[in-house]
Structure formats: structure tokens, C-alpha cells
Amino acid sequence: PSASKKLARTNVFLLYMMKGRQYESMKNDKMAEVNYQKALSMNPRFPELVKAYTAFLFRNKDYDRVLDVIEGIQGIPEAAFDYFAFKGKAYYGKGLYDLAVDNLLKANKEYDSDLTVLNALGAAFLQVGEKEEAYKVFTASLKLNSDQPEIVSLVRRLDEERKSK
């Protein structure tokens, strides 16, 4: 005899979310997408689902969908970091650097030790011409992890520019 728990009808979306993750891990993006969308249609404000699906969309550079799906967790306090981080990185991917800076600053205010946010924020500052702010952000990133050759190179270049002024 096998023992199994009955899944409440309201939690069926979890099965689709798990299937989405499995297909994603098998590099079957088409089926991952289908299952994530099905799960999202059942529960568009479940933070774990929204974050998993948004991460999938971001990896596939579907920035418009990232911006759409991430709205599902807008206003949920414990999801604020992910909300602003994904929005900021998606805006950066779309070349909307002012919006990227705004959202990445909000993400950094929620949690100031995420390298991906710090590095995206530094890059966005560079794109809008705020080299001094970029320098500060990249320096903070290197304090967290000094083993980032590209960031080390950027900081050196910015430091040389600062000294030559």
C-alpha cells in the first residue's frame, strides 16, 4: 500500500510550479514555460512561484514578461528585495538605465549585500554618467567579494579617471 496526502485543490498550482522547475532543469524551456504559466494563472501572487518564473524569464532575456510577472509580488513586504531587483535588472536589460538605477537602489535598500544587484547598479550608474556613484557601488561589491576580475578592472579604470581630474 502506498501512502499519499491529498493535495488541496487550491494548491494544485504547486504541482505545475514543480513541473516547470523540472522542465527548466532539463533545459526544456517550452514545457517549463507552459507549466509556469499554468501555475501562475492559478496563483499569480505566490512569491516563490513568481520569483522562480521571473528568474526563468530573466535567463531567457524576456524582460517585458519579467516586468509583467514580477508585479504579482508588488506590495508583499518579504518579497520587496526580489521585486525591485528583478525590475531593476530587467530595465537594465531593456536599456532603460534611469529606471534600472531607481529600482536597483530600492533593492539595495532592502538588502545591501547582493553582488548581482550591486554590480547591475554600478553598471547602470555608468550608463547614466554617474561615474562616482558607480565607483562607490563597485568598491562596495569588491568588499563583499574581491574575486571579481571584471569589477576589479572597472574600479581600477574609474580610479585612474578620478586621479587624472
Side-chain angles (χ1 to χ4, degrees):
S2 68
S4 67
K5 252 182 148 180
K6 194 172 183 179
L7 187 65
R9 190 175 306 234
T10 55
N11 292 332
V12 171
F13 77 95
L14 291 169
L15 291 175
Y16 288 103
M17 181 179 80
M18 288 186 287
K19 283 174 64 176
R21 284 182 169 163
Q22 286 174 337
Y23 280 118
E24 185 179 358
S25 71
M26 297 182 327
K27 308 279 190 257
N28 185 338
D29 288 353
K30 183 174 173 28
M31 289 306 295
E33 176 84 16
V34 165
N35 282 279
Y36 279 134
Q37 282 186 359
K38 180 77 172 168
L40 195 72
S41 72
M42 295 175 172
N43 194 340
R45 289 192 48 83
F46 187 70
E48 190 179 341
L49 166 60
V50 170
K51 290 186 277 187
Y53 186 30
T54 302
F56 167 79
L57 293 168
F58 187 81
R59 277 192 294 283
N60 286 292
K61 296 179 176 27
D62 191 346
Y63 304 124
D64 290 324
R65 284 286 292 145
V66 167
L67 292 169
D68 182 42
V69 172
I70 201 65
E71 288 304 314
I73 59 173
Q74 195 269 332
I76 299 174
E78 60 274 10
F81 169 78
D82 292 296
Y83 174 75
F84 291 118
F86 276 117
K87 276 187 79 163
K89 291 184 226 176
Y91 281 130
Y92 186 89
K94 289 175 60 78
L96 301 170
Y97 303 116
D98 287 323
L99 290 170
V101 166
D102 182 51
N103 281 277
L104 292 166
L105 281 170
K106 290 174 182 171
N108 195 53
K109 188 175 178 187
E110 294 292 327
Y111 179 68
D112 68 358
S113 297
D114 185 275
L115 292 177
T116 64
V117 166
L118 288 171
N119 293 340
L121 179 57
F125 273 134
L126 284 179
Q127 292 293 333
V128 297
E130 296 282 343
K131 289 182 178 182
E132 192 59 34
E133 291 302 314
Y135 178 82
K136 290 177 190 172
V137 171
F138 286 139
T139 301
S141 174
L142 289 175
K143 284 181 183 169
L144 293 173
N145 179 359
S146 61
D147 187 25
Q148 300 182 80
E150 288 179 30
I151 304 302
V152 169
S153 175
L154 272 171
V155 167
R156 279 193 191 125
R157 192 186 85 218
L158 290 169
D159 201 30
E160 287 170 16
E161 287 180 23
R162 293 167 81 220
K163 289 175 183 172
S164 68
K165 284 186 179 180

